Amino acid sequence: MSEGTIAVEVSGLPQARAAMTARVRRQAWFVTACGCVLLWTCLIQLLAYGRLWQSWNPARFFLVLRDDVAGVGSSSAPPPLTPPSPGLQSRNYTSNGYLKLSCNGGLNQMRAAVGIIPSQSCGHLPRASIEIMVFGFQICDMVMVARLLNLTLVVPELDKNSFWADPSNFDDIFDVRYFIKSLKDEVRIIKKLPNSINRNVSSQFFMMRPVSWSDEKYYIQQSKELGLCILPLFNKFNVIHFNKTDARLANNLAFELQKLRCRVNYHALKFSPQIMTLGNKLVQILRGKGSFVTLHLRYEMDMLAFSGCTRDCSEKEAEELKRLRYAYPWWREKEINSTAKRLQGLCPLTPEETTLILKALGFDKDTVIYIASGEIYGGEKRLSVLRAEFPNLVRPFSSRTLKLYDTPNLQVKKEMLLNSKDLQQFQNHSSKMAALDYMVSLASDTFIPTYDGNMAKVVEGHRRYLGFQKTILLDRRKLVKLLDMHNNKTLPWDEFASSVKQVVNGSLGQPICRKVLINKPKEEDYFYANPHECLTNAKECLNVPYQSNSSR
């Protein structure tokens, strides 16, 4: 090799090194840029999924894994679900059709049905308190059905032809926008059917009543027993109208469906701003002087008529209640033995009986008691014994004068609790009134139902969900025997009071697992009264044999 050639090669070496260095730098920059893009992409995806699941709150979602932290005996409050995020993403799915429903009964019965569980016949329920809970149950259960079948749910129609003749619409009771928005990651909800559906395919509507106490198989699989499956019906009809959605879903469903039930009932079904404002005002007034008790006194005219319970009623009153029962052809049980039903624990406690029970439990004259109910049958005369022992009774929608709180000479009229304008907005709207009762019942220090109807059960379950708040559940079958013995003077007061406390002990809304009875859904424990899948004792209830609640 010549010297000239060697010189050229040596002189070209720095250029080659420079080119190689530049190439390495470009490669490093390219790898770094790709890594940054990938990292940001992953971060964005994680944020999106975080928003999607935010309303479920992973701490609660995986609560069942925390058996070492919260056992059955725990009384700590479960961590509340996080409110739906403004950035909650809609669930994308091809809708199989529209589900339209007409809720019947009272507010509490309808509430559950929108979830999936059917409620009792409205005949067992009295006026306003019943109405609210009925709406909620039906709504909760039908959200579940729409989610299972990939349907578009139409905002429910409320019952305007019931005993209570309430003209309220869904948006009068619940916050519709919040309801739709908070569940958009689970189910598509619209306020009304599209005009094209209403106008062009009315012949493709199919109206039916779903079978009570059905589980998810009834809706998605063919059943030999029932001979009908709901999902295939949408191959023929665009819209299926459930016109009797008091037919409940089964109490025991798949775990994730139960969690969704809780989400709908305790978060998505938020009352309207008007109700929330007035309800919070009531609670603040009651809280102003300390603790208070909510007494769900089930002694309205329709309650007594349909149950056939006439304890302490005159012959004239008993005949009036019987005529009311006969006036409704749909109520099949006409002739009822009131005495037998009472001894079986199937009648609400009377105001006089309730007075003795409250005294036996240790409540004194200074106790502030909010009465959550409709108009008491017999009016003020029927409440005289209760008022004599507990003068601080609060009924904001009553026209009478109330003595309130700890000032002996202070007479508080209804306008001091709720002004005339507030009262006017709720006149002839029993569902709105029931909503206020519901809010106060949740906020009270102690909740005591004298009968286990829809509202009592739903409030019981909601108070468990909020941290096992004190709820005194009365075993009426045992208590009426003690009451009769005391009234017959065969059981002295001290023994009576001690016995009442023993009956109540263990029925204070503490953690307990639902009882499951195969093929007997009406006799087993009600999901909405004890949604243990959503509580701190979920792990225990899933892994150990079910326990029965004390019969009430």
Side-chain angles (χ1 to χ4, degrees):
M1 183 177 297
S2 66
E3 293 182 2
T5 303
I6 294 174
V8 170
E9 290 179 354
V10 172
S11 63
L13 186 59
Q15 297 178 356
R17 288 180 176 176
M20 183 178 297
T21 301
R23 188 182 306 112
V24 171
R25 288 177 178 175
R26 285 195 297 272
Q27 290 176 349
W29 179 88
F30 180 76
V31 171
T32 301
C34 290
C36 290
V37 170
L38 180 61
L39 180 62
W40 277 106
T41 301
C42 293
L43 181 60
I44 291 172
Q45 290 294 324
L46 288 174
L47 288 174
Y49 281 111
R51 287 174 179 173
L52 178 64
W53 289 100
Q54 185 176 5
S55 62
W56 285 91
N57 191 344
R60 284 187 59 83
F61 185 79
F62 295 103
L63 192 59
V64 294
L65 301 178
R66 303 183 351 179
D67 55 321
D68 293 333
V69 178
V72 173
S74 173
S75 60
S76 59
L81 293 178
T82 305
S85 167
L88 198 65
Q89 294 185 358
S90 299
R91 174 172 166 260
N92 294 320
Y93 63 93
T94 301
S95 177
N96 290 318
Y98 297 93
L99 177 62
K100 184 178 174 65
L101 56 145
S102 297
C103 299
N104 62 301
L107 176 59
N108 294 302
Q109 181 178 329
M110 288 190 259
R111 183 180 191 117
V114 179
I116 293 189
I117 292 189
S119 65
Q120 298 175 347
S121 170
C122 61
H124 287 293
L125 312 171
R127 203 205 47 102
S129 304
I130 297 182
E131 239 175 64
I132 290 198
M133 287 337 308
V134 175
F135 297 150
F137 296 150
Q138 295 171 5
I139 296 169
C140 293
D141 284 353
M142 292 306 107
V143 168
M144 300 294 295
V145 172
R147 176 63 176 83
L148 279 172
L149 305 185
N150 284 339
L151 303 176
T152 298
L153 177 66
V154 183
V155 168
E157 298 174 350
L158 304 188
D159 185 7
K160 296 182 175 62
N161 299 313
S162 68
F163 177 88
W164 310 279
D166 189 333
S168 300
N169 294 314
F170 186 90
D171 57 0
D172 293 322
I173 309 299
F174 300 107
D175 188 331
V176 177
R177 293 181 61 184
Y178 184 86
F179 176 65
I180 295 174
K181 185 177 181 180
S182 64
L183 293 173
K184 68 179 183 179
D185 62 323
E186 289 291 346
V187 63
R188 191 173 303 141
I189 305 173
I190 58 177
K191 293 184 179 180
K192 62 180 182 178
L193 287 169
N195 293 332
S196 57
I197 295 287
N198 287 328
R199 182 172 60 254
N200 299 325
V201 291
S202 59
S203 60
Q204 295 189 20
F205 274 68
F206 183 72
M207 185 176 293
M208 64 173 293
R209 179 175 182 170
V211 176
S212 298
W213 306 108
S214 300
D215 60 16
E216 54 267 48
K217 295 179 182 179
Y218 166 71
Y219 291 92
I220 60 178
Q221 298 178 9
Q222 191 70 30
S223 171
K224 293 182 180 179
E225 294 79 9
L226 301 176
L228 178 68
C229 180
I230 303 300
L231 185 57
L233 294 175
F234 285 95
N235 294 328
K236 183 178 180 180
F237 304 99
N238 286 2
V239 181
I240 291 184
H241 184 182
F242 287 168
N243 62 339
K244 291 290 184 179
T245 49
D246 62 334
R248 312 180 180 190
L249 286 178
N251 285 312
N252 302 287
L253 304 173
F255 180 77
E256 290 308 317
L257 295 180
Q258 303 288 63
K259 299 283 285 188
L260 180 55
R261 266 175 152 171
C262 291
R263 181 182 172 188
V264 176
N265 195 31
Y266 304 134
H267 296 276
L269 283 176
K270 185 171 72 171
F271 289 127
S272 67
Q274 180 196 44
I275 292 175
M276 292 293 291
T277 299
L278 196 55
N280 289 330
K281 179 179 179 180
L282 268 176
V283 171
Q284 289 176 3
I285 293 173
L286 293 168
R287 283 267 179 241
K289 292 294 182 177
S291 61
F292 69 96
V293 173
T294 294
L295 178 66
H296 187 37
L297 188 60
R298 297 293 304 278
Y299 206 76
E300 301 94 334
M301 183 177 185
D302 57 306
M303 173 75 232
L304 301 177
F306 295 129
S307 65
C309 298
T310 58
R311 173 78 173 181
D312 294 335
C313 291
S314 66
E315 291 185 6
K316 182 179 179 180
E317 289 173 330
E319 185 61 29
E320 181 183 34
L321 295 172
K322 184 177 180 179
R323 286 198 304 270
L324 176 60
R325 187 164 62 247
Y326 270 87
Y328 287 83
W330 47 263
W331 190 256
R332 288 175 290 184
E333 191 178 11
K334 303 297 186 184
E335 295 296 328
I336 302 175
N337 187 327
S338 176
T339 301
K341 289 198 69 173
R342 177 177 175 273
L343 292 176
Q344 294 170 8
L346 300 177
C347 287
L349 296 178
T350 68
E352 294 83 359
E353 292 173 334
T354 302
T355 302
L356 290 174
I357 297 299
L358 292 177
K359 289 182 61 180
L361 292 175
F363 293 100
D364 57 33
K365 286 182 175 292
D366 294 329
T367 304
V368 176
I369 300 178
Y370 178 95
I371 297 182
S373 73
E375 288 301 319
I376 300 300
Y377 187 60
E380 274 301 302
K381 180 180 178 181
R382 205 53 193 266
L383 286 175
S384 60
V385 173
L386 180 61
R387 186 177 299 282
E389 293 294 336
F390 302 98
N392 296 331
L393 296 182
V394 179
R395 301 192 68 209
F397 291 100
S398 174
S399 59
R400 63 181 171 280
T401 298
L402 304 177
K403 183 185 291 183
L404 186 63
Y405 303 136
D406 55 359
T407 305
N409 298 321
L410 177 63
Q411 297 294 318
V412 181
K413 296 183 179 180
K414 62 173 183 176
E415 289 79 12
M416 296 182 67
L417 293 177
L418 299 174
N419 60 45
S420 57
K421 183 178 179 180
D422 291 333
L423 295 172
Q424 185 177 5
Q425 294 173 352
F426 284 71
Q427 186 176 4
N428 298 324
H429 289 78
S430 60
S431 294
K432 290 184 178 182
M433 294 165 65
L436 292 178
D437 284 348
Y438 187 81
M439 289 186 64
V440 175
S441 297
L442 287 185
S444 62
D445 296 274
T446 304
F447 175 67
I448 307 175
T450 62
Y451 185 78
D452 52 347
N454 280 322
M455 179 169 176
K457 290 179 178 178
V458 179
V459 171
E460 175 191 346
H462 204 157
R463 289 175 65 88
R464 289 180 187 271
Y465 181 81
L466 294 175
F468 302 106
Q469 296 176 352
K470 188 175 182 180
T471 301
I472 299 180
L473 306 174
L474 305 177
D475 188 332
R476 297 181 305 281
R477 183 176 58 82
K478 295 179 180 179
L479 290 177
V480 295
K481 294 180 180 179
L482 295 176
L483 286 164
D484 289 345
M485 293 172 63
H486 176 67
N487 290 330
N488 293 335
K489 304 192 183 302
T490 58
L491 186 64
W493 174 257
D494 290 343
E495 294 182 23
F496 170 75
S498 177
S499 299
V500 168
K501 292 175 182 177
Q502 289 180 8
V503 170
V504 170
N505 187 33
S507 299
L508 302 175
Q510 60 265 62
I512 192 172
C513 301
R514 285 197 314 277
K515 174 181 63 178
V516 177
L517 298 177
I518 305 301
N519 298 325
K520 294 183 179 180
K522 294 182 180 181
E523 298 178 22
E524 66 184 2
D525 292 337
Y526 189 41
F527 170 78
Y528 288 106
N530 183 15
H532 65 229
E533 292 88 345
C534 308
L535 308 179
T536 54
N537 59 321
K539 173 71 173 181
E540 298 294 335
C541 293
L542 292 174
N543 290 343
V544 300
Y546 287 96
Q547 305 170 17
S548 170
N549 287 335
S550 60
S551 61
R552 302 190 295 278

